[in-house]
Amino acid sequence: MGDFTHVLEAQQFPREWLEGFFPLVRSMKADVRCGGHTDLAGKRMMTVFYEPSTRTRASFESAMWLSGGIVSFATENAREFSSAVKGETLEDTIRILNGYHPHVIVLRYHEEGGAQRAAQISRVPIVNAGDGTGQHPTQALLDIFTIQEELGGIDGISIALVGDLNRGRTVRSLAYLLGKFEGIHIHLVSPPSLKIRQDMKDYLDRHHVPYEEHTDLREVADKVDVVYQTRTQWERGPQERDETSSFCRVNQEVLELMRPRAIIMHPLPRNEEIDPCIDSDPRAAYFRQAENGLYVRMALLKRILTG
Ligand code: CP
C-alpha cells in the first residue's frame, strides 16, 4: 500500500493516494450490493479494542467477512477482558498476538500514541482505530470520502468543525486530511474550554489553511458547505461549565440557517448536540457517513492485505 504499512495517522495519506482510493471504495459498495467478494480469502484479522466501539469495530469485522477473510480474534473492552487486567503491557500483548499469525491487527487504545507503540513491536500491519485523544485515521478516510460523495468534491469547501475540538480525535484526523486539499476554509466552533489544540493550528498555518475560531454555530451556519458536529468527550474528564457562553448544537434553528445543499456530518455516537428532529432532512448525512465506514474499511483492508 504505497510507502506505508501501518495506518497510524491521517497525515500519512497523500492526496494522490486518496484520489486513487475513492474509486476502490465505490467498487466495494457495488460489491456489497452483490453479497461481497472473496478477495481476502485466507486472510486473518484481529481486533483489539481497549475502549468501547460500535461503528469502528462492527464495520471492520463486517468488512473482513464481506471480503472473504476471517476475524481470528476479537476483544472488546480489552482493559477488562484481556490480560491487561493482570498488568500485561500493550507491547507484550502485541508481541503475543503476532505469534498467532494474524495478517493485520486493528487496535483501539485509550492513550494517545498506543498505535505507534504497537507498530514498533508488530511484524504485521497495525491499524489505529482510535488512540485516546490522538487520532482516528480510518474515521477521517470515511469522512473525506463522504464529503467527496455528498458534495462532488473537496477543494474549495468551507467547513465548520463543531464541539469538543480539544479532545475529539476525529476532528484532528479530518483537519489533517483537509490540509491536503486546495481552497479549504475552516471554522472552529467550540466552547472556550474545548478549543482545538495549538499543534493543529500550527499544522493548518503550515499548510496555508485559513481558519477562524467561534463559540456560536449560528454565526457560521449559513457560510459553510459542511457542519461537522462532534459530542463532548465527557469520558475523558470534566468540562468547565462554559456552555452558557457558547452554542454548539444542530437544531431546527441552525438547519434553517444552513445552505440548501450543505450537509451535516457527525462521527457518532451523538448525545444532545444533534436534535433527532432533523434526522429526516436530506442534509443530515451522518447515517450515510457511518455506512460509508464499511466500504472504506473494506477498501483499506484490501489495500493493506493485497497491495
Ligand atoms: N465513530 C466511531 O469511532 O464510533 P465508535 O466509537 O462506535 O467506533
Side-chain angles (χ1 to χ4, degrees), residues 49 52-57 108 136 139 169-170 267-269:
F49 278 54
S53 168
T54 297
R55 276 145 292 274
T56 310
R57 185 161 165 249
R108 173 168 287 187
H136 196 347
Q139 177 73 42
R169 57 196 174 201
T170 66
L268 304 176

